[in-house]
Amino acid sequence: VRYDSPDFGGFNFNVTQQMADSSMESQYQPNFSTNGQNTIVGLNYENSGFFAKLGYGLYKHNHVSGADVGDGQVARIEGGYDANNLFVGLAYQYTKDMPAYDAYHNDAAGSIADETHEAAVSVAYTMGAVTPKVTYAHGWDQKIAGSKVSNSGYDQVIIGADYALSKRTTALVSAGWMNAGNADKALDSDGNMQDDDLYSVGVGLRHKF
């Protein structure tokens, strides 16, 4: 169930409530009755090209570690400017007890990161039919039980461009690089996660009907 408010002088908000299901999956069994119950709220502001967005999500009994059952949390704030051919965006995200963002370690069963901090900045500028864009993102070392997992953070850079073939059709191209600790490798002799570099190239075509 979701509610989106009217606009109040550039401000609006939304609330989403997902009801609990009756899942009996073993990892959620201690309190299965509230598994899947999520509450997400958002507050938005936009004026003269400037925008800000604040969101928070509470995911009931989303994290199980031994006998402990925790509620997952995601908090995110975004802001920037999008007008006059220029886009600048900044974002920060914090998560707690969210397995989707965790670093799992095969060499330490049950060692699941329970806190993450991430930030990103994106810039794009339209020049005629071409819009070059670049994004840089950084993830700080994650935490397990309040202690940092050394070298579990990441750095990511994506460079790309859009080319407008017509008013409704755009060609897309991008190249990316990410350096991050690899959770599939055993920790090194100092107890740190080992680095891996990931490279990618993307192409696409977007058409608005």
Side-chain angles (χ1 to χ4, degrees):
V1 178
R2 173 169 168 149
Y3 172 76
D4 290 273
S5 77
D7 187 83
F8 303 99
F11 287 94
N12 66 79
F13 69 91
N14 56 73
V15 181
T16 301
Q17 178 66 40
Q18 178 175 312
M19 307 306 178
D21 57 38
S22 58
S23 173
M24 286 292 290
E25 297 176 16
S26 60
Q27 63 265 42
Y28 298 113
Q29 194 168 344
N31 287 279
F32 69 88
S33 60
T34 56
N35 180 35
Q37 180 178 322
N38 307 326
T39 303
I40 304 169
V41 295
L43 176 64
N44 311 294
Y45 176 74
E46 186 173 353
N47 187 13
S48 302
F50 293 95
F51 65 90
K53 302 179 181 181
L54 179 63
Y56 174 78
L58 178 65
Y59 301 83
K60 295 292 293 182
H61 297 172
N62 186 71
H63 175 79
V64 177
S65 179
D68 297 327
V69 180
D71 298 335
Q73 301 177 62
V74 176
R76 182 183 301 158
I77 184 169
E78 302 175 4
Y81 178 80
D82 187 9
N84 302 314
N85 295 345
L86 175 65
F87 173 85
V88 178
L90 300 169
Y92 168 79
Q93 177 174 273
Y94 166 80
T95 75
K96 182 173 177 60
D97 290 338
M98 290 296 293
Y101 297 95
D102 289 345
Y104 292 82
H105 308 289
N106 290 338
D107 59 302
S111 295
I112 303 174
D114 54 20
E115 284 189 50
T116 69
H117 299 265
E118 300 167 275
V121 56
S122 293
V123 178
Y125 187 75
T126 300
M127 300 176 291
V130 181
T131 304
K133 53 181 63 176
V134 59
T135 295
Y136 169 71
H138 176 76
W140 283 267
D141 284 347
Q142 301 183 14
K143 291 183 178 180
I144 295 177
S147 299
K148 286 186 178 180
V149 181
S150 298
N151 207 34
S152 61
Y154 68 87
D155 289 286
Q156 183 179 28
V157 177
I158 301 173
I159 299 174
D162 298 350
Y163 182 79
L165 300 173
S166 69
K167 290 183 178 180
R168 296 190 299 166
T169 306
T170 303
L172 319 170
V173 63
S174 65
W177 164 82
M178 184 170 71
N179 175 264
N182 189 330
D184 292 326
K185 290 184 177 180
L187 303 183
D188 64 19
S189 57
D190 295 322
N192 302 325
M193 292 181 69
Q194 300 186 55
D195 269 348
D196 258 352
D197 289 313
L198 176 68
Y199 302 91
S200 65
V201 175
V203 294
L205 188 68
R206 180 176 64 229
H207 181 77
K208 297 180 180 180
F209 292 93

